[in-house]
Amino acid sequence: MKIRNDVIKVYKDVHIWVGILSGLMLFIAFYAGAITMFEKPLERWATPPSSLAAPPPLAGAEVLLQAVLAEHPQAAKNYLIVVEPTVDAPARVIWREPGKSRRQFTEFGASFADDGSLQVEQLRKAPVAQLVDTLHQLVGLPFPDALARPIMGAVALLYAVALVSGLIIFLPTLAKDLLAMRIGHNIKRLWMDVHNALGVVSLPFHVVMALTCVVFAFHDEFYDVQGAVVYEQGVPWQRETPPGPPTPDARPLPAVELLRLAHVQQPGFEVFNFSFKQAGGQLEASITGLDTRYGTRARTYASTHLNPYTGEIDPHDLPGQMEPWDAAVNTFFMLHFGSFGGNPVRWLYLLLGLAGALLFYTGNLLWIESRRRKQRADGVPEQTRSARVLGSLTVGVSLGCVVGISATLAATKWLPQRVDNLAAWHEGIYYAVFVAAVAWAFVRGAPRAAVELLRLAALATLLIPLSSLAGVWGIGGAWHHPGMGFIVDLTALAAVPVFLAIAAYTRRRMCAGHTDSVWAQPASSQPLPPSGRGPASACQE
């Protein structure tokens, strides 16, 4: 395919600058997003064991609920009846009490002790999985949602522009260069081949991510348009008044009966819990679960309204039964979260997410190398300050994100016994490590910092399975769920040699590679040898 050189140059400039502006935030979004593909196993791995007695059978949920309401009447405002208790939802009856802000709440669970007395415990579901998801959603920005989300939307738009411009640049040599890996002395050419191959092969995935991110960032505006164009008279299920009790003394159906009716109405739908809340003096209910035959709007569940007195399910929010417009919206969420196809799709999305992070990392460094080649031709004697700053920023932000996430995950097994505000501590650990890594990259320079931070990433990641092992042995108050969470530990363990291998390669490149590269050990006082490659002695720890 023939495209004029001047057109290629324009799109190349657009691709470079758009990539630089958005690349670092997109690295955080993709790396954290890859981890969230297994958010639920991570959450269960990170949640400390409950001291509650074993939950009563589902048939006894109403007796337990009445005991809870007798001692904690505020629970009637918002409570759950859990069908199959899990590590992160260990009680048959769970209720929420509001916290300091609208989005904060405290969860409590209840059971019957051996002597028949009511046993209540504040639940401490691990917030670390939510932190990783928040980093993904807000591209790592420590700002309130109202400020960070529009920035994320702008980054997603830049991301889409970078995809289009990059494809146009690559089109003239697509047939020749697709999947070409030219291994040799020209390391920059090899990394360019890797960058191009990652971008083209995973292009459909990146297009989906870019479009869905824009939808998520500006969903309120889209919903306003949808309400004005599609539902001019208001959303049908919002116009209807929730049904009240058929008689003044009517009581909600028992959970066992609600479950039976749910199986009759929605065969194939696995019910997780029934939730109830008081709204406007009336009891409203919803049902949450999963039908693996359909992709879901949420990552691991689907939820819809339920009449607590008749057990009738309103299916308009369930995948496979939505109206066409809502099904289209659901598709955006489903494609973004990979909430279809089960674990094979989740593993595929994890790999594509990590490949995307590598795409943005290599993009910035390739720009530095290309710019240096042009400056060298113009007689500029050494790397410019702007190139060194961008190199340090790229290494610090990217590897700071990696080390920060590993560090806060490693702390999961130790914090619950020592601190009260787990969410604040996990967030504090991540951002403290992240900021320190960025500062270290500027102090040490990109090449040395890359080696050191990659080794630190290996160490921090190794601490994840070691902390679980400490929990197995009961060391220092650490804990571990028997038979659970090994996928997290094994995945972390597998990542350790990868980080060490990359660190070793980077060090070899720093020691023996071209001395004028962004990866070279700074040695401006030494003249460039005729070969363009520095001796190993020029590389110092």
Side-chain angles (χ1 to χ4, degrees):
M1 180 177 181
K2 280 290 207 177
I3 300 179
R4 295 201 323 264
N5 288 337
D6 58 328
V7 174
I8 291 290
K9 184 180 183 306
V10 169
Y11 278 100
K12 183 176 290 188
D13 290 340
V14 170
H15 182 75
I16 287 172
W17 288 108
V18 167
I20 289 173
L21 290 173
S22 62
L24 296 181
M25 286 185 282
L26 287 171
F27 179 96
I28 296 175
F30 271 71
Y31 186 80
I35 296 173
T36 61
M37 291 313 303
F38 291 93
E39 180 180 3
K40 187 55 69 175
L42 178 61
E43 188 173 73
R44 291 174 178 169
W45 171 86
T47 297
S50 170
S51 62
L52 288 172
L58 186 62
E62 277 62 39
V63 176
L64 178 59
L65 177 62
Q66 293 308 313
V68 168
L69 295 180
E71 292 191 19
H72 303 273
Q74 71 276 14
K77 295 180 180 179
N78 190 344
Y79 65 92
L80 304 175
I81 294 181
V82 180
V83 173
E84 292 290 344
T86 58
V87 168
D88 54 324
R92 183 70 67 189
V93 174
I94 296 175
W95 71 95
R96 294 172 175 175
E97 296 185 8
K100 295 180 180 180
S101 67
R102 183 174 63 88
R103 292 193 174 189
Q104 290 182 331
F105 56 82
T106 303
E107 282 193 338
F108 295 89
S111 188
F112 287 125
D114 293 338
D115 60 1
S117 62
L118 182 67
Q119 186 184 20
V120 174
E121 177 186 69
Q122 179 179 339
L123 303 182
R124 308 193 76 188
K125 182 188 295 185
V128 68
Q130 181 58 51
L131 169 63
V132 176
D133 192 25
T134 300
L135 293 173
H136 161 66
Q137 292 179 29
L138 305 183
V139 291
L141 298 173
F143 303 145
D145 183 89
L147 176 59
R149 196 165 293 276
I151 297 176
M152 183 270 283
V155 170
L157 289 171
L158 292 175
Y159 172 28
V161 172
L163 289 175
V164 173
S165 56
L167 182 61
I168 291 174
I169 295 169
F170 194 59
L171 279 177
T173 58
L174 179 63
K176 181 181 70 173
D177 291 348
L178 181 62
L179 301 182
M181 294 295 161
R182 284 160 284 195
I183 301 174
H185 292 304
N186 192 340
I187 303 298
K188 175 182 171 293
R189 180 69 263 177
L190 173 62
W191 277 109
M192 182 68 77
D193 290 339
V194 172
H195 182 82
N196 291 340
L198 288 173
V200 174
V201 172
S202 58
L203 182 62
F205 173 77
H206 286 282
V207 170
V208 167
M209 292 300 109
L211 293 177
T212 52
C213 284
V214 173
V215 172
F216 295 160
F218 303 111
H219 65 276
D220 286 343
E221 291 77 7
F222 285 123
Y223 286 156
D224 289 342
V225 173
Q226 176 185 344
V229 176
V230 182
Y231 302 114
E232 296 183 21
Q233 304 302 319
V235 180
W237 51 90
Q238 291 182 349
R239 294 200 305 265
E240 299 173 358
T241 302
T247 61
D249 58 346
R251 299 173 64 85
L253 291 175
V256 169
E257 180 63 11
L258 290 175
L259 182 62
R260 185 189 70 80
L261 293 172
H263 287 161
V264 171
Q265 297 174 73
Q266 300 294 330
F269 186 80
E270 179 187 1
V271 181
F272 297 161
N273 62 65
F274 301 102
S275 64
F276 304 85
K277 66 178 181 178
Q278 294 288 341
Q282 293 194 124
L283 182 67
E284 295 184 3
S286 63
I287 181 174
T288 298
L290 182 65
D291 189 336
T292 55
R293 296 172 298 176
Y294 304 102
T296 57
R297 182 173 301 186
R299 186 175 283 110
T300 57
Y301 66 89
S303 184
T304 193
H305 300 292
L306 168 76
N307 187 321
Y309 303 101
T310 66
E312 181 183 359
I313 295 175
D314 180 358
H316 81 268
D317 262 345
L318 294 180
Q321 303 180 60
M322 296 177 174
E323 295 181 6
W325 183 264
D326 295 306
V329 174
N330 183 74
T331 301
F332 275 97
F333 286 83
M334 177 186 74
L335 290 173
H336 185 89
F337 292 137
S339 56
F340 62 95
N343 284 333
V345 172
R346 290 190 181 94
W347 281 107
L348 176 62
Y349 266 52
L350 182 142
L351 295 175
L352 288 170
L354 295 178
L358 181 61
L359 184 73
F360 304 122
Y361 185 77
T362 57
N364 276 19
L365 297 176
L366 282 170
W367 175 82
I368 298 174
E369 297 283 19
S370 297
R371 187 178 184 188
R372 180 61 197 140
R373 184 180 62 182
K374 295 177 182 177
Q375 291 172 337
R376 190 165 55 244
D378 294 339
V380 179
E382 61 181 16
Q383 291 275 7
T384 62
R385 178 181 297 178
S386 62
R388 292 196 300 270
V389 167
L390 182 59
S392 297
L393 193 64
T394 299
V395 168
V397 169
S398 302
L399 299 183
C401 168
V402 174
V403 180
I405 289 178
S406 292
T408 198
L409 286 176
T412 296
K413 303 288 183 169
W414 308 89
L415 288 178
Q417 302 295 328
R418 293 168 170 79
V419 302
D420 292 326
N421 193 338
L422 288 175
W425 272 87
H426 277 296
E427 187 174 341
I429 290 172
Y430 170 79
Y431 280 110
V433 172
F434 177 82
V435 171
V438 174
W440 187 256
F442 276 97
V443 170
R444 297 285 286 171
R448 284 182 296 190
V451 175
E452 293 157 353
L453 290 177
L454 282 164
R455 291 172 177 171
L456 184 60
L459 175 61
T461 306
L462 179 62
L463 290 177
I464 295 173
L466 289 181
S467 65
S468 293
L469 195 60
V472 173
W473 293 336
I475 298 175
W479 50 269
H480 184 68
H481 297 294
M484 285 196 61
F486 286 113
I487 185 175
V488 176
D489 296 317
L490 291 176
T491 303
L493 197 60
V496 172
V498 175
F499 289 134
L500 290 176
I502 298 173
Y505 172 82
T506 304
R507 176 170 165 74
R508 287 197 302 271
R509 173 75 170 145
M510 178 179 71
C511 294
H514 200 293
T515 56
D516 212 18
S517 166
V518 67
W519 292 117
Q521 172 78 3
S524 57
S525 60
Q526 299 181 4
L528 187 67
S531 65
R533 302 185 179 279
S537 59
C539 179
Q540 301 175 359
E541 290 284 357

